[in-house]
Amino acid sequence: MSSPDSPGWDPGLQNERTTLAWVRTALSFVAAGTLAGKQTGAGVTFAALVMASLAAAAVMVVTAERRYAHRYDRLAAGQHIVSLPAVAVTAAGTFVLGLVSLSIVLI
């Protein structure tokens, strides 16, 4: 039971865990891009894969922080939270990175 002064929901932990999960996903993008690049050897392909994975990770971290603030405001207003576009973009990015990694290993 919540008191009249409390918002009636956990003011940070669930939202914080979700944001940290996106940051971990971004770090795994960097690791996967670096490992895929190492399979190609040093050179332009390696640099391109590492830079692409770093760019994707940076976008994920920045948007995760923005979503954190947005979700906090929505929670405070008593609204529901769903971020299907972010999930779809991450799934597509993971799929593409997997295909690149698979093609590098098979070639």
Side-chain angles (χ1 to χ4, degrees):
M1 189 102 196
S2 62
S3 69
D5 295 334
S6 73
W9 49 271
D10 182 1
L13 295 180
Q14 184 179 24
N15 196 13
E16 183 177 301
R17 284 191 304 265
T18 302
T19 302
L20 291 173
W22 282 102
V23 171
R24 284 191 307 269
T25 302
L27 289 173
S28 68
F29 259 59
V30 173
T34 302
L35 290 174
K38 283 184 112 181
Q39 292 295 322
T40 65
V44 176
T45 307
F46 173 73
L49 285 171
V50 171
M51 293 305 289
S53 64
L54 282 172
V59 168
M60 291 174 84
V61 169
V62 168
T63 55
E65 294 298 326
R66 291 179 63 205
R67 281 192 314 269
Y68 176 84
H70 177 71
R71 284 190 304 255
Y72 186 88
D73 293 340
R74 289 186 64 134
L75 284 169
Q79 299 172 344
H80 294 286
I81 301 168
V82 176
S83 181
L84 292 179
V87 172
V89 168
T90 302
T94 303
F95 181 74
V96 168
L97 186 57
L99 286 178
V100 169
S101 299
L102 182 64
S103 66
I104 289 170
V105 169
L106 293 178
I107 293 177

